[in-house]
Amino acid sequence: MKVYLFCIALLCGWVQTAAQAEVFERTLANGLKVIVKEDHRAPVVVQQIWYKTGSMDERTGVTGIAHVLEHMMFKGTKAVPMGEFSKRIAAAGGRENAFTSYDYTAYFQQLHKSKLPLAMQLESDRMQNLTLSAAEFSKEIKVVMEERRWRTEDEAHALLQEKMMATVYQEHPYRHPVIGWMSDLESLTVGDAKAWYTRWYAPNNATLVIAGDVSANEVFALAQRYYGGIPTRVMPSRRDYDEPAQTGIKRLVVKAPAELPHVVMSFHAPVLRDPGQDWKPYALEILAGVLDGSESARLNKHLVREQQIASGAGAGYDSVSRGPGLFIMEATPSAGKTVVDVEAALRREIAQLVQDGVSEEELKRVKAQVTAGEVYKRDSVFYQAMQIGQMESIGLGHRVIPLMLEKLQAVTAEQVRQVAGEFLQEDNLTVAVLDPQPLSGKPKTRMEGNSHVR
Amino acid sequence: MFARFGLAGLVGTAALCCVATFACASPQIQHWQSASGARVLFVEDHDIPMLDVSVAFPAGSSFDTIEQSGLAGLTHHMLDLGAEGLSEDDISRGMADIGAQFGGGFDPDRASVSLRTLSSAAERDRALDIMARVLQHPAFPEAILAREKARVIAALREAETKPEAIAGKAFSKAVYGAHPYALRASGEVASVEKLAVRDLQEFYRTHYRAGGAVVAIMGDVTRAGAEAIAQQLTAQLPQSDAQVALPDVTTRIAASEQRIDHPASQSHILIGAPGIARSDPDYFTLYVGNYILGGGGFVSRLMNEVREKRGLAYSVYSYFMPMKQPGAFQIGLQTKKEQADEALQLVRGTLAEFIAKGPTEKELTAAKQNIGGGFPLRIDSNRKILEYLGVIGFYDLPLTYLDDFPRKVEQVSVTQIRDAFARHLDPQAMATVIVGAPDGAAK
């Protein structure tokens, strides 16, 4: 589950301390922000370009276009025809890929430090000169449909997640999947891709992050040379969607081929907007760590090991996003137990948190993991660049990273108890249940205890 | 997140990289045998105040029997769920308290336990103390075994509904027949149900021997410190000499094709045969050749034919999985059912042509440029270097292996690739598995 993994990644590698001194930043005249993280452990470099544009900027009917354009970005320009981008990076010994999320779209290359100019030349070229042909589009959209079948339609848990998000959010565009609804994919045209590219792909809507065995000044000079001439573009105004307040519990059931049922409980929760003043998102991060930060965390210890109600259980929360946040708890019942049993067990964990709070020992443990994660993070140059790019793309900026570590370390047990009580409650809640279907297509045991709301 | 190239493809590539490919001379590998008899490989590096350690044993799923399939995996899984003087909770809490991370690996050849910890004495010593007890005095508590068996069985039943898992199982069986490489890592429901504490104890005693252990140490510690750690982790391992030999893999198989019904919208297709052992002299040649065929991501022939030209699949890949005995050569893809046969014919045609004619000079040059030029990316983190130390130690590769790699890649010729593929792979003698077969085509 995306939310869960993302949260753990952030928690483990939350912040930079001394390393922060090695981060340099400059904004070119055309608005492109360039951030350099020097790390001289190996003769390699990563280039990441982050566009502040993701699926949440899409409109109903054209969902999936942010991701489809990501695919199309590899289809060539006048100077670098179809297939050449990948070939040239490969010939330079490099690796390359891209990813799209709700909040942003990013492209990256990892290669020997001497090849950075090549990577910049290719990346800056496709920022402004992409050739979007109908013929290539018609092939690539089929690839994306295969991707959707593979990732979502034939994956019971992904399907559950997709349908849950469409229920959790009534108005906010997070209700649409990043990969898009199949019927939208079927109707997208190369014109939609062109419109998306023209609207969002501009230097003033992007952040360039370079990390590795480089000197910041050299990188700034290279960035000026390759990206400096790309014209600024007027960005369309963005609408902030306020998700209407939820007024009662929501429930949904998803049938899909599987053996084991699964329950996901999603609670609306705040995210960081003012990193210096906010405290609830930090407390929620610690809460997620208490429930599911390690093997010894509460859900695994109580539900899986001691009570043996669940064969697996987890929790997740991500304090950093452009849109609204969710606190998620989930579990798979163990043999002989039902979804009703695991939902009740998850609710008992919440009740216990609200009543008794967390111990100083638990608090200390989660904070120790945050501190160690900060050191381990330095082993991956790619991840460090990624963290910078994410923070920039969602509008908080990479400079708040050290502040966030301090704030996280300052969370009190009482604050954790308070946010559990405030947010993990009925009117914030959507319960999604996977009702496993046999492969033969014949119904097996009837599920019990679930009202079908949708 | 949705990436342009998915996990399925990367799994193949990543697995190959881990097991097989290295380059670059940079890390100075130190090597010795500890007093316990374990082999130790060590790279000293003080850039980051942390330490990575792994200990591996020849105790993977190929040491299982059909009757006790899953025993090796369960033994490995149970190691950190209770050890002399420590409950499972003591172990997990003890690690979490200091921000240390326990990990591990398990495949047909190897079972390993790994640790990442801060290198400051307080954290390091506590983490290593727990790791030492877990490795040398696992308790295999009865009640926990019952609980974990139930979890493994639940996961096995779940896997039996997933097209990837169904395809993988059928493929292993088709390629390896009665050889233990065909056995599933987590076993079968019926075999796991029967496993008892004494089975795990016996497996542990026979396979977790000091003499077979390979200790890899990477990071912020001195040579003397590393020597002490290796000894601390292995001195009290079982000392028996009972070496268990693996039977030989039959490398030539008869052609087969299985079509298995599944309600998924896509067909999951696997094609392959036994490939090569880690020690095979053709290893580099086949590695370079496979990069061109289906290992090189977007620039490979399979990707070009199946995805880029025709939009038939999101991911298509091929790899050799070199093991102690010949591991599988495998091609994999997923495509919607209606076009499965079209994709299958295309893949078979691409493979047959590659085997018959080999790559072009241009393709070979491009492959060498990528594999050679990308060499520093293979060893740019402590985690990656630790993994390579483990592989070099376990498969008895020369300590100069990292230096040799780029040179040997550079020497590969078109003729050698054509010749090696023809000797190792016969397109007329491959196993094919199609799960979620096209409607009406199911047999």
Side-chain angles (χ1 to χ4, degrees):
Chain A
M1 190 157 287
K2 180 238 166 199
V3 179
Y4 169 70
L5 291 173
F6 187 59
C7 166
I8 295 301
L10 274 183
L11 195 64
C12 289
W14 193 258
V15 190
Q16 311 189 353
T17 47
Q20 196 66 16
E22 296 150 19
V23 183
F24 305 89
E25 176 187 321
R26 189 168 296 178
T27 302
L28 305 186
N30 61 9
L32 177 69
K33 190 188 266 195
V34 184
I35 301 173
V36 182
K37 169 77 177 71
E38 289 190 16
D39 185 319
H40 303 286
R41 301 172 62 226
V44 299
V45 64
V46 56
Q47 165 172 258
Q48 297 175 351
I49 186 108
W50 294 72
Y51 294 98
K52 290 171 201 166
T53 300
S55 68
M56 74 173 274
D57 300 304
E58 294 165 351
R59 305 244 164 94
T60 301
V62 286
T63 64
I65 190 66
H67 170 249
V68 170
L69 183 69
E70 179 223 295
H71 280 239
M72 293 304 294
M73 284 286 279
F74 294 84
K75 296 299 178 185
T77 65
K78 287 183 210 87
V80 183
M82 164 71 192
E84 272 294 303
F85 189 102
S86 295
K87 276 188 194 146
R88 292 190 195 179
I89 293 296
R95 303 175 189 172
E96 40 118 22
N97 215 327
F99 48 86
T100 306
S101 82
Y102 291 118
D103 295 350
Y104 44 74
T105 310
Y107 301 81
F108 65 85
Q109 301 85 35
Q110 295 167 276
L111 20 62
H112 189 272
K113 61 178 180 176
S114 64
K115 303 294 185 183
L116 180 59
L118 170 73
M120 282 200 180
Q121 184 198 336
L122 291 169
E123 196 62 87
S124 61
D125 175 47
R126 68 176 173 176
M127 183 185 278
Q128 52 185 335
N129 299 318
L130 193 63
T131 311
L132 284 156
S133 86
E136 285 306 324
F137 186 90
S138 68
K139 280 188 284 185
E140 199 60 27
I141 195 74
K142 286 165 65 188
V143 170
V144 174
M145 288 181 200
E146 291 299 339
E147 183 179 358
R148 184 181 158 82
R149 290 184 188 101
W150 177 65
R151 280 190 198 276
T152 307
E153 307 206 343
D154 292 344
E155 282 290 330
H157 282 218
L159 206 58
L160 181 70
Q161 159 90 354
E162 178 175 281
K163 293 186 187 299
M164 181 191 79
M165 291 297 275
T167 305
V168 165
Y169 293 111
Q170 177 181 328
E171 186 183 4
H172 196 278
Y174 280 179
R175 72 194 318 276
H176 301 301
V178 173
I179 200 165
W181 301 108
M182 192 59 110
S183 71
D184 286 353
L185 296 181
E186 282 162 358
S187 68
L188 288 177
T189 68
V190 71
D192 297 317
K194 276 181 183 154
W196 191 261
Y197 179 67
T198 313
R199 191 177 304 144
W200 300 115
Y201 280 58
N204 47 313
N205 192 41
T207 309
L208 177 68
V209 185
I210 307 287
D213 190 13
V214 291
S215 96
N217 283 332
E218 281 169 29
V219 170
F220 292 139
L222 282 173
Q224 177 60 38
R225 178 173 157 205
Y226 289 108
Y227 292 91
I230 303 175
T232 301
R233 207 173 292 148
V234 178
M235 283 295 117
S237 62
R238 293 178 199 257
R239 158 102 192 267
D240 281 331
Y241 289 86
D242 278 332
E243 174 65 20
Q246 191 170 329
T247 47
I249 189 169
K250 300 185 205 177
R251 285 185 179 275
L252 71 149
V253 174
V254 174
K255 291 181 173 182
E259 172 68 23
L260 303 172
H262 189 72
V263 180
V264 185
M265 300 174 74
S266 290
F267 301 88
H268 291 287
V271 293
L272 271 182
R273 292 290 177 242
D274 182 347
Q277 293 302 312
D278 294 346
W279 63 269
K280 290 174 184 174
Y282 302 112
L284 286 162
E285 288 282 1
I286 299 285
L287 175 60
V290 167
L291 289 171
D292 184 20
S294 67
E295 288 284 293
S296 69
R298 284 193 183 192
L299 293 186
N300 190 47
K301 180 170 153 63
H302 296 166
L303 271 56
V304 179
R305 293 179 175 183
E306 290 171 5
Q307 299 162 24
Q308 299 183 28
I309 288 172
S311 64
Y317 164 74
D318 178 2
S319 68
V320 173
S321 65
R322 277 172 60 197
L326 288 180
F327 194 100
I328 290 178
M329 295 169 73
E330 57 185 313
T332 300
S334 54
K337 302 292 180 184
T338 67
V339 291
V340 177
D341 297 329
V342 292
E343 183 183 331
L346 289 169
R347 285 172 179 272
R348 281 197 300 276
E349 290 298 319
I350 296 169
Q352 204 183 333
L353 275 168
V354 174
Q355 197 188 315
D356 304 332
V358 299
S359 68
E360 285 301 325
E361 195 197 352
E362 286 174 296
L363 202 60
K364 211 177 136 196
R365 187 175 305 136
V366 175
K367 291 177 182 179
Q369 290 170 274
V370 172
T371 305
E374 167 58 18
V375 174
Y376 303 154
K377 185 184 77 176
R378 292 169 55 193
D379 199 32
S380 167
V381 172
F382 186 87
Y383 174 68
Q384 294 177 63
M386 180 132 184
Q387 194 183 16
I388 291 170
Q390 281 172 335
M391 294 301 290
E392 289 294 324
S393 300
I394 56 144
L396 292 176
H398 73 276
R399 290 184 194 284
V400 307
I401 293 173
L403 172 66
M404 289 166 70
L405 178 60
E406 281 171 34
K407 300 285 270 186
L408 214 47
Q409 294 290 352
V411 169
T412 66
E414 175 53 25
Q415 286 177 325
V416 177
R417 196 193 61 78
Q418 237 177 294
V419 291
E422 184 176 350
F423 300 108
L424 305 189
Q425 46 103 349
E426 201 80 355
D427 285 353
N428 270 337
L429 173 63
T430 300
V431 182
V433 169
L434 173 65
D435 180 4
Q437 301 297 302
L439 300 191
S440 63
K442 296 184 196 90
K444 57 178 182 187
T445 48
R446 205 177 67 83
M447 272 210 332
E448 291 168 359
N450 281 287
S451 53
H452 294 235
V453 174
R454 290 188 82 230
Chain B
M1 293 202 203
F2 287 83
R4 173 173 164 245
F5 186 46
L7 283 175
L10 290 176
V11 166
T13 320
L16 192 66
C17 291
C18 293
V19 178
T21 55
F22 309 72
C24 231
S26 344
Q28 285 299 312
I29 302 172
Q30 303 183 51
H31 172 243
W32 65 91
Q33 191 168 44
S34 70
S36 63
R39 298 188 60 191
V40 190
L41 291 93
F42 169 52
V43 170
E44 183 169 349
D45 186 299
H46 303 283
D47 277 351
I48 307 175
M50 65 182 207
L51 181 66
D52 287 279
V53 181
S54 77
V55 184
F57 301 90
S61 56
S62 63
F63 299 96
D64 280 341
T65 59
I66 290 174
E67 298 71 36
Q68 294 198 312
S69 180
L71 173 58
L74 203 52
T75 304
H76 175 251
H77 177 68
M78 288 285 294
L79 288 176
D80 69 346
L81 301 181
E84 194 179 52
L86 297 171
S87 69
E88 64 167 336
D89 203 40
D90 292 334
I91 294 168
S92 60
R93 220 168 0 89
M95 287 293 186
D97 277 343
I98 52 174
Q101 298 170 352
F102 242 156
F106 187 80
D107 66 29
D109 287 344
R110 279 195 293 172
S112 67
V113 175
S114 60
L115 167 74
R116 167 165 279 192
T117 177
L118 297 174
S119 55
S120 40
E123 280 82 8
R124 182 195 63 202
D125 293 350
R126 281 179 65 187
L128 286 166
D129 174 58
I130 295 171
M131 186 178 187
R133 291 204 248 177
V134 160
L135 282 171
Q136 298 169 109
H137 308 285
F140 305 117
E142 185 97 49
I144 293 180
L145 178 62
R147 183 192 75 201
E148 294 304 311
K149 278 168 61 176
R151 292 180 71 196
V152 169
I153 287 166
L156 283 169
R157 292 212 162 106
E158 182 68 44
E160 279 164 13
T161 70
K162 305 292 177 209
E164 302 87 343
I166 295 168
K169 185 176 169 178
F171 179 77
S172 297
K173 184 88 186 124
V175 169
Y176 288 110
H179 189 277
Y181 273 178
L183 299 174
R184 189 152 60 167
S186 35
E188 302 299 326
V189 173
S191 61
V192 170
E193 271 170 350
K194 288 183 292 194
L195 296 175
V197 166
R198 65 175 179 283
D199 299 321
L200 274 68
Q201 285 166 338
E202 175 61 23
F203 188 88
Y204 171 79
R205 201 162 44 240
T206 321
H207 294 86
Y208 285 73
R209 301 177 309 107
V214 173
V215 183
I217 302 175
M218 169 74 219
D220 183 23
V221 66
T222 61
R223 165 71 186 242
E227 285 179 14
I229 288 169
Q231 185 63 9
Q232 178 192 3
L233 296 177
T234 58
Q236 295 177 61
L237 284 169
Q239 286 291 345
S240 73
D241 317 316
Q243 291 222 30
V244 188
L246 211 56
D248 286 343
V249 162
T250 307
T251 50
R252 291 283 157 171
I253 59 169
S256 66
E257 184 176 309
Q258 285 179 73
R259 293 178 177 243
I260 302 169
D261 268 336
H262 193 281
S265 64
Q266 286 186 320
S267 297
H268 290 246
I269 302 173
L270 295 176
I271 303 169
I276 50 165
R278 196 68 201 66
S279 57
D280 198 298
D282 289 325
Y283 169 70
F284 293 102
T285 307
L286 292 172
Y287 177 73
V288 175
N290 184 66
Y291 172 93
I292 298 162
L293 173 64
F298 286 97
V299 296
S300 78
R301 277 199 192 183
L302 284 170
M303 200 68 150
N304 193 42
E305 293 295 328
V306 176
R307 172 170 161 158
E308 302 297 295
K309 279 194 194 161
R310 295 177 184 81
L312 288 174
Y314 176 61
S315 143
V316 54
Y317 61 87
S318 67
Y319 64 79
F320 286 93
M321 178 66 79
M323 310 270 284
K324 270 270 191 283
Q325 292 285 319
F329 166 78
Q330 181 177 302
I331 298 176
L333 74 152
Q334 311 85 30
T335 188
K336 75 170 165 177
K337 282 181 179 171
E338 298 73 20
Q339 61 201 24
D341 283 318
E342 179 189 355
L344 181 60
Q345 292 320 311
L346 185 61
V347 167
R348 282 179 171 160
T350 306
L351 173 67
E353 179 170 311
F354 187 79
I355 292 174
K357 297 185 184 156
T360 64
E361 285 293 346
K362 203 176 155 196
E363 285 175 317
L364 179 60
T365 304
K368 288 178 179 178
Q369 282 173 336
N370 180 262
I371 300 166
F375 175 74
L377 291 170
R378 297 168 191 269
I379 49 164
D380 65 356
S381 73
N382 292 13
R383 196 182 285 290
K384 292 178 190 174
I385 292 169
L386 183 84
E387 183 62 34
Y388 296 154
L389 294 179
V391 170
I392 291 173
F394 190 83
Y395 291 103
D396 271 325
L397 306 178
L399 293 184
T400 55
Y401 191 77
L402 297 177
D403 303 313
D404 302 343
F405 188 89
R407 190 171 44 80
K408 293 198 172 173
V409 166
E410 197 50 46
Q411 288 165 356
V412 171
S413 71
V414 165
T415 317
Q416 285 171 343
I417 291 175
R418 196 171 50 226
D419 172 60
F421 267 79
R423 276 186 288 108
H424 288 279
L425 295 179
D426 176 0
Q428 302 306 316
M430 295 255 163
T432 302
V433 173
I434 308 157
V435 174
D439 289 338
K443 285 175 186 169

